[in-house]
Amino acid sequence: SQQGEEDPQALSIQEGENATMNCSYKTSINNLQWYRQNSGRGLVHLILIRSNEREKHSGRLRVTLDTSKKSSSLLITASRAADTASYFCATDADSGYALNFGKGTSLLVTP
Amino acid sequence: GAGVSQTPSNKVTEKGKYVELRCDPISGHTALYWYRQSLGQGPEFLIYFQGTGAADDSGLPNDRFFAVRPEGSVSTLKIQRTERGDSAVYLCASSSLGTGGGYTFGSGTRLTVV
């Protein structure tokens, strides 16, 4: 079952702008991860945030987690055309290992 | 290897045929996962191996689907009597831990049943 839901479904911005994507989930988690997927093939792990963390940074990425609202956000700063991809959040609810993915946010960054 | 390798990258088969999809995980990764992704959807969990054993196969849709990992490294996902609804990208991932870490995904096998 797909637990995570990303919002918006699609986002179009210009290079240099910031992109914010949100994710909501339904049950308690151990951690939440964000992945990027280009052209509908392999997913690339971007960042993992644990349930006891509130914010995490990695390069141009900033992830927040609010377990009371069961939501997370991914911020990409100073976007580039190469950031064009689908972005998925994934939680490890229930089993602790099987990831539950949302439907993703499709990001288009235009030059 | 340096990454997770999946073969073939594309597979077209006729309805009713049997197919095998192969996954070669990162060397030393004990945990291996299979996911299936339909167009416009996120990946859906199929099966999880820890070592040679299937620790959780609750995501397999029906008994036409089976997966093995006999030596704890390479895994094969087997689909019998394929149906058009089986068409999807089949993704394999591995990790050094069963929990608590990021997964490395392969590029997937795009299966088309005609």
Side-chain angles (χ1 to χ4, degrees):
Chain A
S1 62
Q2 297 200 309
Q3 182 187 204
E5 288 290 337
E6 289 89 347
D7 169 57
Q9 290 187 349
L11 180 61
S12 182
I13 60 174
Q14 291 190 317
E15 267 191 328
E17 294 180 334
N18 296 340
T20 300
M21 290 160 269
N22 302 297
C23 167
S24 60
Y25 58 92
K26 297 175 184 174
T27 62
S28 297
I29 60 172
N30 297 303
N31 63 63
L32 183 145
Q33 306 181 37
W34 285 90
Y35 286 83
R36 184 185 73 215
Q37 185 177 43
N38 292 84
S39 305
R41 299 307 289 260
L43 290 92
V44 175
H45 178 255
L46 296 176
I47 197 164
L48 179 152
I49 186 165
R50 302 193 188 282
S51 60
N52 61 354
E53 298 176 308
R54 291 297 168 258
E55 187 171 314
K56 204 162 183 180
H57 297 254
S58 177
R60 293 184 297 113
L61 305 180
R62 172 178 169 251
V63 169
T64 62
L65 178 64
D66 187 335
T67 53
S68 67
K69 296 181 179 178
K70 292 188 170 58
S71 68
S72 174
S73 67
L74 171 67
L75 169 68
I76 304 174
T77 59
S79 62
R80 306 166 181 168
D83 295 329
T84 294
S86 291
Y87 291 81
F88 294 88
C89 70
T91 60
D92 66 346
D94 303 330
S95 67
Y97 48 77
L99 294 180
N100 296 303
F101 288 85
K103 293 185 178 181
T105 292
S106 179
L107 174 66
L108 174 64
V109 182
T110 55
Chain B
V4 177
S5 175
Q6 290 189 247
T7 55
S9 57
N10 287 284
K11 175 71 176 177
V12 180
T13 190
E14 291 181 348
K15 179 175 176 293
K17 298 288 188 182
Y18 167 83
V19 295
E20 289 189 352
L21 312 179
R22 176 188 167 107
C23 172
D24 197 343
I26 291 175
S27 178
H29 278 190
T30 58
L32 184 146
Y33 314 82
W34 284 98
Y35 287 79
R36 178 170 71 172
Q37 186 176 23
S38 301
L39 193 63
Q41 303 292 317
E44 291 188 301
F45 169 76
L46 296 178
I47 188 169
Y48 159 55
F49 286 91
Q50 183 59 257
T52 60
D56 184 349
D57 64 357
S58 62
L60 296 178
N62 51 59
D63 61 7
R64 294 187 297 105
F65 289 75
F66 190 71
V68 296
R69 193 186 186 199
E71 297 178 357
S73 55
V74 171
S75 176
T76 304
L77 178 65
K78 308 179 180 191
I79 310 174
Q80 299 177 319
R81 305 183 303 280
T82 51
E83 300 176 356
R84 292 196 179 87
D86 298 336
S87 297
V89 175
Y90 289 81
L91 296 162
C92 176
S94 70
S95 68
S96 57
L97 300 171
T99 63
Y103 303 166
T104 303
F105 279 83
S107 296
T109 294
R110 184 179 300 279
L111 175 66
T112 303
V113 182
V114 298

